[in-house]
Amino acid sequence: MSDAEPGLRERKRRATRLAIQQAALRIATEGGLAAVTVDEISRRADVSPRTFFNYFPNKEQAILGDDPRLPEDGALTDFVAGLPSGDLLPDLGVLLVHSTRELIEERALIEERQVVLRANPELFSRRMESMKEFQAEIERAVTERLQRADPAGSTGPTDPAGLARRARLASLVALATLRHAWWEWSDAEGAPHLVDELERSFAELGSLVSRSLV
C-alpha cells in the first residue's frame, strides 16, 4: 500500500468501529433484528451508548456498516481537475482507492453481514439504496470533470443528456471494477488489502481497454 500505516489513535478508532459492528451482527444472528438494541450493542462492544452514537446514528447502520462515500479531501478536487493522470478510468480508480481505505477490512464481518442481510430484506434494500447514492456521487464528479476538461465538446457531447449518459457509463464501469476487486479479495485466502486488489482490478481494466483500442 502506498499510504503510510494509520497511527495509534486511528487504529483504536477502527478497532472500536469494528467491535460495534461485530456486536450488532452477532446479536442479529443470534436473536434476530428485534433483539438488536443500542444498549445491548454497547454492552457487548464494551463501549458507552454515547460512544456508540459517535460512530453510528442507529442500530441499523451499525449492522450495515459504513456506506461507501467519495473522499471529502483533496482527492476529489484533484479528480475533478483532471488529476492525477488525465485518463478518466485510471483516475476514477485512484479516487475509489481513497474511498476504500476507510472501509473495515474483515472477512468474517462480511460473511456475517451477508447472512443478516439475507434474513432481513429491508436491510438489504437499504444497502442497495446506499450503493445507488454512491453511484450518483460518482456520476456528479465525472460530469463536473468532463465539463471542466472539455467545455467546447471536442471529445464528446456537452448537452446535459449527453454528459449524463457518459458519466453514468463511467460510474457503472467503476462500480463493476470495485465489485470485481471485492470478490477477488474476499474469495482469496491471505489476499492483500482490499485497496491493493482495487488497484490491481483497475490496472487490469486499463489493460483490457488498451488492447481493445489497438
Side-chain angles (χ1 to χ4, degrees), residues 109-186:
L109 198 70
I110 295 169
E111 294 171 359
E112 288 184 76
R113 180 173 291 122
Q114 289 174 338
V115 171
V116 173
L117 290 180
R118 283 195 292 268
N120 298 275
E122 67 275 21
L123 291 179
F124 182 79
S125 296
R126 286 184 60 168
R127 171 58 74 191
M128 291 301 98
E129 188 61 33
S130 72
M131 291 306 298
K132 289 181 182 179
E133 292 173 4
F134 187 44
Q135 181 188 339
E137 281 188 59
I138 297 173
E139 284 187 33
R140 288 192 292 270
V142 172
T143 298
E144 187 173 353
R145 171 170 167 145
L146 292 175
Q147 289 173 327
R148 290 191 182 188
D150 190 21
S154 60
T155 62
T158 56
D159 62 285
L163 283 173
R165 181 183 178 88
R166 296 171 70 196
R168 180 165 299 153
L169 177 59
S171 70
L172 290 172
V173 170
L175 288 180
T177 308
L178 175 59
R179 178 170 293 185
H180 175 267
W182 189 272
W183 281 341
E184 291 295 317
W185 173 77
S186 61

Side-chain angles (χ1 to χ4, degrees), residues 7-17 55:
L8 178 60
R9 179 178 297 180
E10 178 63 16
R11 291 198 301 272
K12 288 183 175 180
R13 185 187 71 83
R14 292 187 183 186
T16 300
R17 199 172 192 87
Y55 286 87

